């Protein structure tokens, strides 16, 4: 029908953004080429809140300690608004793609469990709500 659909390429948009707003300094994906997911997550410096959405008491605290031991900037732990979460979910409030990628891999999440909810007023960059899937199957010692 002669129509064209333009599809953005996020990595290219970040490069242009960095060139414009960082005065030519490359702080986008190419600056971190070859780094592993953990190193990228640490470089991004996301502040993380871990909430327990299961009936397993203390899961957020233990998981928070585990994540901290891996280098995650866990700033708060606590209970979610309920204990009926079957699946772990991650909420990104400030655009932290490297943290999301790391948590997707570490927590074994599918993309349907990662939610972008931009909120400049949020007290953290990322919130993880732990579900029964994490409680029953995780790599913690």
């Amino acid at each position: 029908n002669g129509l064209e659909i333009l599809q953005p390429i996020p990595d290219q948009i970040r490069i242009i953004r960095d060139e414009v707003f960082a005065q030519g300094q490359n702080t986008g994906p190419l600056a971190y080429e070859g780094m592993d997911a953990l190193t990228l997550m640490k470089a991004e410096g996301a502040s993380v809140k871990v909430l327990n959405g299961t009936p397993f008491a203390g899961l957020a605290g233990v998981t928070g300690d585990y994540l901290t031991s891996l280098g995650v900037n866990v700033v708060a732990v606590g209970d979610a608004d309920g204990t009926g979460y079957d699946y772990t979910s991650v909420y990104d409030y400030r655009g932290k793609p490297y943290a999301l990628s790391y948590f997707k891999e570490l927590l074994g999440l599918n993309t349907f469990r990662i939610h972008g909810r931009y909120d400049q007023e949020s007290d953290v960059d990322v919130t993880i709500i732990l579900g029964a899937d994490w409680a029953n199957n995780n790599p913690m010692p």
Side-chain angles (χ1 to χ4, degrees):
N1 294 330
L3 299 175
E4 292 185 29
I5 298 174
L6 301 177
Q7 189 171 21
I9 303 171
D11 287 344
Q12 296 300 316
I13 293 170
R14 287 185 193 104
I15 291 169
I16 292 170
R17 175 205 62 200
D18 293 344
E19 288 175 355
V20 171
F21 295 107
Q23 299 170 359
Q25 199 174 20
N26 187 2
T27 57
L30 294 180
Y32 302 112
E33 191 171 355
M35 291 183 169
D36 62 60
L38 177 61
T39 303
L40 291 169
M41 182 273 309
K42 287 180 183 180
E44 194 171 51
S47 60
V48 178
K49 181 190 303 183
V50 180
L51 300 176
N52 184 5
T54 75
F56 299 98
L59 184 62
V62 172
T63 302
D65 291 344
Y66 172 68
L67 293 175
T68 299
S69 75
L70 297 175
V72 176
N73 181 25
V74 176
V75 297
V77 296
D79 291 325
D81 58 354
T83 60
Y85 289 83
D86 291 328
Y87 300 100
T88 299
S89 294
V90 175
Y91 297 88
D92 178 22
Y93 301 113
R94 297 208 184 101
K96 299 295 183 178
Y98 297 119
L100 297 180
S101 178
Y102 178 72
F103 294 136
K104 179 182 180 211
E105 180 182 317
L106 178 70
L107 303 173
L109 303 176
N110 64 38
T111 54
F112 299 112
R113 300 285 171 215
I114 300 173
H115 310 279
R117 299 216 172 135
Y118 181 77
D119 181 1
Q120 193 62 34
E121 303 300 318
S122 175
D123 57 341
V124 294
D125 297 319
V126 175
T127 296
I128 300 170
I129 300 180
L130 302 171
D133 59 336
W134 176 255
N136 296 321
N137 185 20
N138 63 66
M140 293 189 299

